[in-house]
């Protein structure tokens, strides 16, 4: 089943027509025939009826959904699979309202599903970048004048949330919600994610200036309408910003600072898996669903 291609919704439904086919696929992805207890990985495991297992050392029962985003869900796995398929295949994401309509659940249930799924996207947002790397910062958020009175910011500098992006040409991308765009903040993130041997391309923003001490650092001067200078440009990362903002403003409409990184992770995941087939991207997300979070944690986190 892992090697089976299902590159559209119809093929996905045909591959997983019922709950048992979904369970079998999850077990193959998670354990590959060697069941491991989530309570004690060293323990012997007993195979019980009804897709259940028992951990010998702890005496606890579990199944393939235990300690994953599917833990204690009342929704059938087929609907979860459809939700994961839709959110990973739509370039700009999908709203909870639209997802609810598409898979036949309430908007509240769809929001909860999307929120749980979004917890799994950060797996591919800590790559070490090399060769030619573009770095740029952007700001995400609505205009202050459009906010409700109790949510307006007093200073314009706090109107939008800064995000730093770094992308290796023809490679992976890393993007982080950062507290500010000072030299200390930007350099810390860049040094953490970009190898010193890399060629670094940025615009002329002053916070990047001292990075010349570490990197072969080249600059394009946007203030002088210079956007490309040979191989030096930031067009790749700026194209990603365009997709991110169209998704957040056009699909999600609003995201709080508290949850912004989760949305950024979602777009990074889709970008970094752009060369994968639809089924490969779907399976990659499924292999990283061991990230259980409750409704209360989602609302109050």
């Amino acid at each position: 089943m892992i090697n089976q291609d299902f590159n559209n919704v119809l093929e996905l439904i045909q591959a997983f027509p019922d709950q048992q086919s979904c369970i079998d696929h999850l077990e193959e992805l998670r354990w590959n025939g060697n069941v491991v207890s989530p309570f004690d990985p060293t323990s012997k495991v007993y195979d019980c009826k009804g897709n259940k297992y028992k951990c010998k050392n702890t005496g606890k029962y579990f199944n393939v959904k235990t300690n994953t985003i599917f833990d204690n869900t009342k929704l059938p796995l087929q609907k979860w699979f459809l939700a994961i398929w839709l959110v990973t295949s739509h370039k700009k994401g999908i709203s909870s309202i639209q997802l609810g309509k598409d898979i036949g659940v309430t908007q509240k249930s769809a929001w909860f599903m999307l929120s749980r799924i979004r917890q799994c996207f950060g797996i591919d947002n800590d790559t070490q970048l090399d060769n030619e790397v573009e770095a740029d910062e952007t700001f995400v958020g609505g205009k202050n004048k459009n906010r409700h009175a109790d949510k307006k910011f007093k200073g314009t500098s706090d109107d939008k949330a800064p995000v730093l992006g770094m992308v290796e040409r023809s490679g992976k991308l890393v993007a982080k919600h950062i507290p500010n765009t000072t030299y200390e903040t930007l350099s810390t993130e860049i040094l953490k994610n970009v190898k010193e041997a890399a060629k670094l391309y940025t615009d002329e923003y002053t916070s990047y200036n001292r990075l010349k001490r570490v990197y072969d650092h080249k600059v394009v001067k946007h203030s002088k309408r210079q956007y490309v200078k040979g191989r030096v440009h930031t067009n790749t990362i700026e194209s990603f910003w365009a997709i991110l903002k169209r998704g957040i403003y056009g699909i999600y409409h609003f995201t709080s600072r508290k949850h912004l990184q989760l949305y950024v992770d979602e777009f990074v995941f889709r970008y970094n898996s752009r060369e994968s087939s639809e089924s490969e991207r779907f399976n990659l997300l499924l292999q990283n669903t061991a990230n259980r979070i409750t409704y209360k944690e989602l609302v109050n986190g």
Side-chain angles (χ1 to χ4, degrees), residues 133-144:
V133 177
E134 301 173 24
D136 188 39
E137 80 290 341
T138 193
F139 294 84
V140 178
K143 293 181 179 179
N144 213 32

Side-chain angles (χ1 to χ4, degrees), residues 143-157:
K143 293 181 179 179
N144 213 32
K145 66 180 182 180
N146 294 332
R147 298 179 187 272
H148 291 293
D150 61 334
K151 294 183 179 179
K152 287 184 182 294
F153 289 115
K154 295 180 180 178
T156 55
S157 61

